[in-house]
Amino acid sequence: MSNDEATRPQEPQEEEQIQAAEPEAVEQAADSAEATENLEAPTVESLLEEVAALQAKINDQSESVLRAQAEMQNVRRRAERDVENAHKFALDKFSSDLLPVIDSLERALDAADNLEDEVVKGMRDGVELTLKMFVDTLSKHGVEQICPMGEPFNPELHQAMSMVPNPDMEPNSVMAVMQKGYVLKGRLVRPAMVVVSKAG
């Protein structure tokens, strides 16, 4: 562009375009100023609502954390209880398999009760000692005998094989033990098989 063109007055068409654009620019500036004013000056109500929403979110997060902590504690307790029971009742099957041996020794002693032969007496003493060692060893590992002779019948520990009238005993009492029961650290391994008295 030459110097003459640069210093030449603007054409009428350009002046009209400039005049038409001025109100629009003023309007945009006013809108922008209003928006800026709204952003910079929130109302008290809007701030309270925002605070309430944030407080509600914090409460929800706190409850979630508490629930997660409680669930973790429950999982830890269940795991500890499972491990404890696994150690506590590890001998359950083993002790159950040994019980028929004890039953056989007890039957052998019962059969030898009425025999007076010296040889049988020696064998009886040996069987009796063996039975005592068996029972004592099981007892050291938490296995206890149930021999409820004369006690009230307990369906949680006893299995009634029959009921017999007996005027000399209270009804529902154990009047004979056919086979002893066993518990392992309080948990039933085998119920005692019993005969229960009833009113005559």
Side-chain angles (χ1 to χ4, degrees):
M1 179 183 297
S2 65
N3 292 336
D4 293 341
E5 291 175 343
T7 56
R8 187 183 302 164
Q10 295 179 336
E11 297 295 333
Q13 187 177 1
E14 293 177 350
E15 292 179 356
E16 291 176 359
Q17 291 176 347
I18 292 172
Q19 291 175 354
E22 283 179 352
E24 185 177 353
V26 171
E27 186 177 353
Q28 290 177 350
D31 292 342
S32 177
E34 185 178 357
T36 303
E37 184 178 356
N38 289 335
L39 288 176
E40 292 177 352
T43 62
V44 174
E45 290 77 10
S46 66
L47 288 175
L48 290 176
E49 290 176 358
E50 188 174 354
V51 169
L54 291 173
Q55 188 62 49
K57 185 178 290 187
I58 291 172
N59 292 338
D60 290 341
Q61 295 294 328
S62 298
E63 290 178 1
S64 297
V65 171
L66 291 176
R67 283 195 296 271
Q69 289 177 341
E71 182 61 25
M72 285 298 298
Q73 289 178 353
N74 289 336
V75 170
R76 188 181 300 111
R77 289 195 192 100
R78 282 197 295 270
E80 290 174 352
R81 186 169 58 248
D82 290 344
V83 171
E84 181 182 349
N85 286 339
H87 288 294
K88 193 174 181 180
F89 302 114
L91 295 177
D92 194 351
K93 180 70 170 57
F94 179 68
S95 59
S96 179
D97 290 342
L98 285 179
L99 298 185
V101 179
I102 296 177
D103 294 338
S104 296
L105 293 175
E106 288 178 339
R107 281 195 291 270
L109 289 175
D110 290 341
D113 261 351
N114 298 324
L115 300 177
E116 298 297 335
D117 188 276
E118 287 298 320
V119 177
V120 174
K121 184 177 181 302
M123 291 178 59
R124 186 182 187 285
D125 292 343
V127 172
E128 196 171 26
L129 181 60
T130 303
L131 175 61
K132 183 177 184 306
M133 291 173 64
F134 250 116
V135 173
D136 289 347
T137 301
L138 289 177
S139 179
K140 288 179 182 175
H141 293 280
V143 181
E144 301 292 342
Q145 277 188 335
I146 304 172
C147 186
M149 185 65 188
E151 298 178 3
F153 175 72
N154 182 351
E156 295 183 358
L157 299 174
H158 312 151
Q159 180 178 352
M161 305 306 293
S162 65
M163 296 190 73
V164 177
N166 188 340
D168 297 330
M169 297 187 72
E170 289 290 328
N172 212 35
S173 298
V174 176
M175 56 182 292
V177 179
M178 301 173 66
Q179 188 180 63
K180 293 175 182 174
Y182 291 85
V183 292
L184 172 60
K185 296 180 179 177
R187 189 167 76 173
L188 184 65
V189 177
R190 189 182 76 183
M193 295 181 182
V194 299
V195 178
V196 182
S197 64
K198 66 178 180 180

